[in-house]
């Protein structure tokens, strides 16, 4: 199944709307009391700082997710979209999605280029950030933190 192609203008429009919406009203914002996993992310380039919380159930499903911290609109919106998206996924699915998204945003090739690539859905709107290379790390920060959180890595996930 292929995703509908979006024109550059449509992608731009979607990007603006989604970033503004999620930056103004971040979803799942705040610490998660019963988190099983968490990780901190820092983007020194912009000063974005966040902590991501996950509650992973016994069968490795992400039952809940939240984040807190402060940063620019793009970093907050991306973290908000992340939490909204990964709840209900297995950790493995969330990591596959992370790989696919980070590759799209950084222009790299997916590690699993011949395998099935997960559908990005509305996360594709984040691709709009590619027009602003200096902000790509703002958009990927939360996803780096997600990788660390799933791995239960206590070091701070840095975009550098
Ligand atoms: Zn930023």
């Amino acid at each position: 199944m292929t995703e509908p192609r979006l024109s550059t203008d449509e992608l731009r429009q979607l990007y603006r709307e989604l970033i503004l919406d999620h930056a103004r009203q971040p979803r799942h914002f705040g610490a998660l009391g019963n988190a099983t996993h968490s990780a901190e992310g820092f983007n020194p380039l912009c000063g974005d700082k966040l902590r991501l919380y996950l509650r992973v159930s016994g069968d490795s499903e992400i039952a809940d997710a939240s984040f807190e911290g402060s940063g620019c609109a793009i970093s907050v919106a991306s973290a908000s979209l992340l939490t909204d998206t990964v709840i209900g996924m297995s950790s493995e699915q969330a990591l596959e999605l992370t790989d696919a998204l980070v590759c799209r945003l950084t222009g790299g090739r997916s590690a699993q280029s011949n395998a099935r690539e997960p559908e990005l859905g509305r996360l594709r709107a984040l691709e709009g950030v590619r027009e602003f290379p200096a902000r790509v790390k703002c958009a990927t920060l939360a996803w780096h933190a997600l990788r660390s959180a799933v791995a239960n890595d206590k070091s701070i996930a840095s975009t550098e």
Side-chain angles (χ1 to χ4, degrees):
M1 215 169 88
T2 51
E3 295 181 58
R5 287 190 78 83
L6 293 170
S7 73
T8 312
D9 276 349
E10 285 170 321
L11 212 55
R12 241 180 234 149
Q13 177 73 13
L14 204 62
Y15 171 75
R16 267 197 301 265
E17 284 173 7
L18 210 64
I19 297 287
L20 279 178
D21 176 29
H22 280 261
R24 275 187 197 137
Q25 290 179 291
R27 321 296 198 265
H28 312 285
F29 189 83
L32 196 65
N34 50 2
T36 55
H37 295 64
S38 81
E40 216 174 314
F42 179 50
N43 172 19
L45 226 57
C46 180
D48 311 315
K49 233 178 194 167
L50 59 85
R51 176 169 281 278
L52 187 73
Y53 300 89
L54 302 174
R55 181 155 57 81
V56 181
S57 68
D59 52 0
S60 89
E61 188 199 276
I62 299 175
D64 208 354
S66 77
F67 76 102
E68 61 181 358
S70 60
C72 67
I74 296 169
S75 67
V76 171
S78 185
S80 171
L81 277 161
L82 179 155
T83 52
D84 231 11
T85 307
V86 301
I87 293 172
M89 284 186 171
S90 68
S91 314
E92 197 178 299
Q93 282 175 316
L95 289 179
E96 277 174 15
L97 182 70
T98 301
D99 285 347
L101 182 73
V102 170
C103 278
R104 284 283 193 107
L105 296 186
T106 56
R109 300 269 310 158
S110 171
Q112 48 198 12
S113 51
N114 50 358
R116 70 219 142 82
E117 205 172 281
E119 294 221 3
L120 294 176
R122 67 198 174 126
L123 292 176
R124 286 205 52 203
L126 287 173
E127 282 181 44
V129 82
R130 290 199 301 198
E131 285 187 61
F132 314 97
R135 314 306 297 277
V136 166
K137 286 173 178 170
C138 303
T140 56
L141 176 64
W143 302 85
H144 287 300
L146 175 73
R147 278 184 184 146
S148 299
V150 170
N152 245 335
D153 184 349
K154 302 290 180 212
S155 60
I156 296 173
S158 175
T159 52
E160 292 306 298

